[in-house]
Amino acid sequence: PMTDIGTPQSAAAQACDQRYFGALAEGRFEIPRCNSCGKHHFYPRLCCPYCGSQDLQWVAPSGLGQVYSVTIVRRVDGDYTVVLIDLEEGPRLMSRVVGLPVEQVRIGLTVRARIYATEDGPLLVFTAQEGRA
């Protein structure tokens, strides 16, 4: 397989992708945590981006995070958000906030991860956390 930029993806990198998306398909949101330095990271990689260790373990994060940035995509068939989320465990990832009017999605909003099944496979999205910023 090719990456988005047209370069071949290594078999090991494909295995990381398959592990992540396979867990989502089974209803689990999991990310790698380094057993050497203890830091979580996202996107899944073969080695820790902080210390270089390959001693990684897949763990379920709390699912809680905060919106770091938000963009509203305007479409004829419905608007949606593209957000960067800072997970409580540290990693920042790109996703969407659903279940709120797009105009109410704001920087600092506390959110919780959810897995939605789509025609194209599982999608990690976030919903506003009741009673929190």
Side-chain angles (χ1 to χ4, degrees):
M2 303 293 271
T3 64
D4 288 340
I5 57 173
T7 55
Q9 187 181 30
S10 74
Q14 289 176 39
C16 285
D17 285 354
Q18 289 171 351
R19 170 66 176 80
Y20 172 73
F21 288 108
L24 282 183
E26 294 173 1
R28 297 185 326 271
F29 170 37
E30 296 179 336
I31 60 174
R33 184 182 66 79
C34 177
N35 287 326
S36 295
C37 72
K39 292 185 178 180
H40 297 81
H41 63 271
F42 190 87
Y43 202 79
R45 298 177 179 97
L46 300 175
C47 60
C48 176
Y50 301 103
C51 74
S53 173
Q54 293 184 359
D55 185 13
L56 306 176
Q57 177 180 6
W58 287 84
V59 298
S62 68
L64 292 175
Q66 274 195 331
V67 173
Y68 174 81
S69 71
V70 60
T71 298
I72 298 173
V73 178
R74 304 278 185 198
R75 294 184 51 153
V76 172
D77 58 347
D79 300 343
Y80 65 93
T81 60
V82 175
V83 295
L84 291 179
I85 302 290
D86 285 339
L87 295 176
E88 281 192 344
E89 291 78 10
R92 179 175 292 158
L93 56 89
M94 186 181 301
S95 186
R96 297 181 186 174
V97 172
V98 298
L100 263 185
V102 293
E103 292 78 12
Q104 291 181 22
V105 178
R106 64 191 185 288
I107 292 170
L109 179 69
T110 300
V111 292
R112 178 177 292 279
R114 297 279 183 259
I115 300 169
Y116 279 11
T118 71
E119 290 178 4
D120 298 324
L123 180 66
L124 182 71
V125 298
F126 288 80
T127 57
Q129 184 67 17
E130 287 294 319
R132 299 191 59 182

